[in-house]
Amino acid sequence: MNHNSAAKIIKSALGEKQSCLSEYEAKLILALYGLPVTREVLVNNADELKGAARQIGYPLAIKGCSSEIAHKTEQGLINLGVNSEDEALAAFTEIKKKLAGDRGAVLVQEMVRGSRELVMGMTRDEQFGPCVMFGLGGIFTEILRDVSFRKAPLSESDAREMMREIRGNKIIDAFRGMAAADTKTLAQMLIGVGRIGLEFQEVKEIDLNPVIIAADKPVVV
């Protein structure tokens, strides 16, 4: 059932000639494969925005959402820590203006707080097929390049080995008053990413950054 639901999203995107999924579409698929994602609502106008804000509750993250825009931070399409309706409306108006001419909508999201950021994903290697990636996340991912890889499918022990192979592996341990990360959930997330790669040849790459550790729970943000 999860496969069929995900297949419909991918088929629709291909029918629209999209080269990638929007954040909203991607998270629908991730949730079908058991990955914890942010609570969020896609909105197109101010009334929908107000309803979404009441449903989710402040503080919010408000983002431009389009299949044509992969890196939103650089384009000023993300507003974090939005604390009131006035701030939300201002953020919505600004993002809609920047999306002018694009088919994108606006994503209203719960604000997930946590100082530890990870990255996980999948790349399709010509020789080995879908390979799952895990590492340190956030804006410095490309600079630090502290990642590990495994060929899909993954076992739980494969996933746990990946977590320990990165140089910064202590990020998932308890330190400075923060609880140890829920490695069972992290392992299941990595297994799920590998399953998507195995089940859908159309998916060439998955990039989940950041995955924030909120208290001890990982969430795809």
Side-chain angles (χ1 to χ4, degrees):
M1 184 65 180
N2 287 353
H3 176 91
N4 291 341
S5 299
K8 286 180 182 176
I9 296 169
I10 291 170
K11 184 178 179 181
S12 174
L14 290 171
E16 293 289 329
K17 304 259 190 305
Q18 293 175 212
S19 61
C20 66
L21 297 177
S22 71
E23 178 177 341
Y24 181 73
E25 292 166 331
K27 282 179 173 169
L28 291 176
I29 292 177
L30 295 174
L32 288 168
Y33 281 79
L35 279 78
V37 299
T38 44
R39 291 183 299 120
E40 56 192 37
V41 179
L42 200 63
V43 304
N44 290 285
N45 57 55
D47 286 340
E48 290 179 359
L49 171 74
K50 292 175 184 177
R54 285 193 295 270
Q55 177 183 330
I56 297 171
Y58 294 100
L60 298 169
I62 299 182
K63 304 178 179 179
C65 185
S66 168
S67 62
E68 298 172 17
I69 302 168
H71 298 285
K72 293 179 281 291
T73 305
E74 292 92 326
Q75 302 189 39
L77 293 172
I78 297 180
N79 282 261
L80 302 178
V82 175
N83 286 304
S84 69
E85 187 173 288
D86 285 345
E87 287 183 22
L89 286 168
F92 175 83
T93 302
E94 179 187 359
I95 288 170
K96 282 297 258 185
K97 191 181 298 180
K98 288 178 178 175
L99 287 172
D102 184 65
R103 291 182 297 173
V106 174
L107 197 54
V108 179
Q109 232 173 53
E110 67 175 316
M111 187 72 198
V112 175
R113 298 193 184 280
S115 56
R116 292 177 286 178
E117 297 187 348
L118 302 170
V119 61
M120 57 178 66
M122 185 278 296
T123 186
R124 195 172 292 282
D125 183 84
E126 286 185 14
Q127 182 177 355
F128 297 108
C131 296
V132 179
M133 178 265 288
F134 173 84
L136 295 183
I139 62 173
F140 299 114
T141 300
E142 293 174 11
I143 297 171
L144 296 172
R145 297 186 183 279
D146 189 5
V147 295
S148 60
F149 288 89
R150 279 293 185 288
K151 181 181 181 297
L154 271 65
S155 66
E156 184 168 332
S157 62
D158 290 330
R160 290 182 178 276
E161 285 175 7
M162 286 178 72
M163 294 178 217
R164 288 301 165 194
E165 280 179 3
I166 64 170
R167 297 187 302 277
N169 63 71
K170 292 190 182 304
I171 195 172
I172 61 175
D173 297 335
F175 74 104
R176 293 194 176 182
M178 291 184 282
D182 179 351
T183 52
K184 176 83 173 175
T185 297
L186 282 171
Q188 292 305 312
M189 292 168 74
L190 291 167
I191 291 168
V193 168
R195 282 182 57 210
I196 296 170
L198 287 168
E199 293 182 22
F200 295 102
Q201 293 298 311
E202 305 92 329
V203 178
K204 303 302 181 190
E205 185 178 17
I206 300 172
D207 182 20
L208 312 181
N209 187 19
V211 174
I212 290 181
I213 307 297
D216 67 330
K217 299 296 182 187
V219 183
V220 180
V221 174

